[in-house]
Amino acid sequence: AQRVTQPEKLLSVFKGAPVELKCNYSYSGSPELFWYVQYSRQRLQLLLRHISRESIKGFTADLNKGETSFHLKKPFAQEEDSAMYYCALSGLQGGSEKLVFGKGTKLTVNP
Amino acid sequence: DARVTQTPRHKVTEMGQEVTMRCQPILGHNTVFWYRQTMMQGLELLAYFRNRAPLDDSGMPKDRFSAEMPDATLATLKIQPSEPRDSAVYFCASGLGGVGTEAFFGQGTRLTVV
C-alpha cells in the first residue's frame, strides 16, 4: 500500500533561516512524488514534482530512494512561505493510480 | 483560467440530514478525486473516478457516503445521514490521469454538522 509520512505537524522558523520539511514514503514500485502547498484562503496547488527536478520559489526536493524520502528544502525562508505543505505520492495500486497525501506540515516563518 | 468549481463553499446542517456536494472538473480532465481534510487526518482520499467510472472508493464509509459522476461536467458526493464526525473540508480535484500528473483542486466545501 502507498503511504506518505510527514513527521512534523508544525514547523516554525525565522525569516532567513533554512527550512526543511520532511517526507517519507512507502511504496513497492517506482513512485512519482510531489509537494503541494496551501496558502491561507487559497486552494491547494502543486509546488513541485520530483520528475521535473526544478526549483520553485526557491524550494527544492530530492528523491532519495535508499531512504525513501522526498524532503523539501529552502536555504532562506521568507514570511510569504508560511503555509500548509503536503507531500504526495502517485503510484499504481490494484491496477489504477492513486494520489495519496501525507497529513501535512504547517510552516510558519516568523519575522 | 480553467478551475475546478465546488458548491456550496460552506454548509451547516443538522445531524441526520442529507448533504450533497458538487464539483465541476476542468473541461477535458478525465480523472476526478474527492478528498476530506481534517486537522487530525490531513487529506484523506475518499474516492476517485476515471472517465466517469469509479476506480476506487475504499476510503469512503459505504454506509453513508456515495459518490457519482452523472456526466463529465459534474461529480457529486453525498452523505446520508450526516453525523457530527463528518464535519470537515471536502475537496474535489481533477486531472488528466496517469501516474505523475498534476491534480488541480477546487476551493473546497466546508461542512459543519451540528
Side-chain angles (χ1 to χ4, degrees):
Chain A
Q2 299 166 227
R3 187 171 296 136
V4 177
T5 304
Q6 293 180 251
E8 303 139 329
K9 290 195 80 165
L10 302 170
L11 185 61
S12 183
V13 301
F14 286 103
K15 177 183 172 181
V19 63
E20 181 179 72
L21 291 89
K22 291 184 168 51
C23 171
N24 289 90
Y25 66 91
S26 173
Y27 180 62
S28 56
S30 186
E32 297 287 342
L33 286 149
F34 306 81
W35 277 98
Y36 281 77
V37 61
Q38 189 177 26
Y39 299 104
S40 178
R41 294 188 173 80
Q42 293 187 28
R43 62 186 71 201
L44 199 66
Q45 58 187 288
L46 178 67
L47 179 62
L48 56 80
R49 69 188 87 187
H50 93 270
I51 198 169
S52 56
R53 301 183 66 83
E54 55 192 344
S55 172
I56 304 292
K57 298 185 179 183
F59 285 98
T60 59
D62 290 318
L63 176 61
N64 186 321
K65 290 188 177 181
E67 295 182 358
T68 60
S69 68
F70 188 57
H71 303 328
L72 184 68
K73 300 177 184 178
K74 185 169 182 176
F76 307 103
Q78 302 300 313
E79 290 180 67
E80 55 265 31
D81 297 327
S82 296
M84 194 76 183
Y85 290 81
Y86 290 94
C87 183
L89 184 154
S90 175
L92 287 174
Q93 184 170 326
S96 59
E97 66 269 18
K98 286 179 103 164
L99 181 60
V100 175
F101 287 81
K103 293 188 177 182
T105 298
K106 184 176 181 180
L107 173 66
T108 301
V109 181
N110 301 296
Chain B
D1 184 22
R3 293 191 168 193
V4 175
T5 303
Q6 288 186 249
T7 57
R9 293 288 311 280
H10 303 274
K11 176 74 175 178
V12 180
T13 191
E14 290 185 348
M15 182 173 63
Q17 296 298 305
E18 177 178 301
V19 175
T20 298
M21 290 168 272
R22 293 177 174 80
C23 169
Q24 182 177 5
I26 292 172
L27 193 64
H29 283 184
N30 63 358
T31 304
V32 173
F33 303 89
W34 281 105
Y35 290 90
R36 176 171 61 187
Q37 183 186 45
T38 61
M39 287 293 291
M40 292 300 295
Q41 299 299 327
L43 275 169
E44 299 174 275
L45 179 62
L46 297 176
Y48 69 106
F49 294 77
R50 168 69 50 78
N51 296 322
R52 296 176 56 202
L55 288 188
D56 190 329
D57 61 1
S58 59
M60 208 163 61
K62 300 290 192 306
D63 57 337
R64 298 183 300 107
F65 284 60
S66 62
E68 296 179 344
M69 278 201 75
D71 61 62
T73 64
L74 177 64
T76 62
L77 179 66
K78 289 185 181 180
I79 308 174
Q80 169 61 22
S82 57
E83 296 181 2
R85 60 180 166 151
D86 301 329
S87 297
V89 181
Y90 291 82
F91 286 102
C92 172
S94 72
L96 291 171
V99 173
T101 57
E102 180 178 356
F104 294 82
F105 281 76
Q107 291 187 286
T109 293
R110 182 175 295 276
L111 174 65
T112 304
V113 183
V114 297

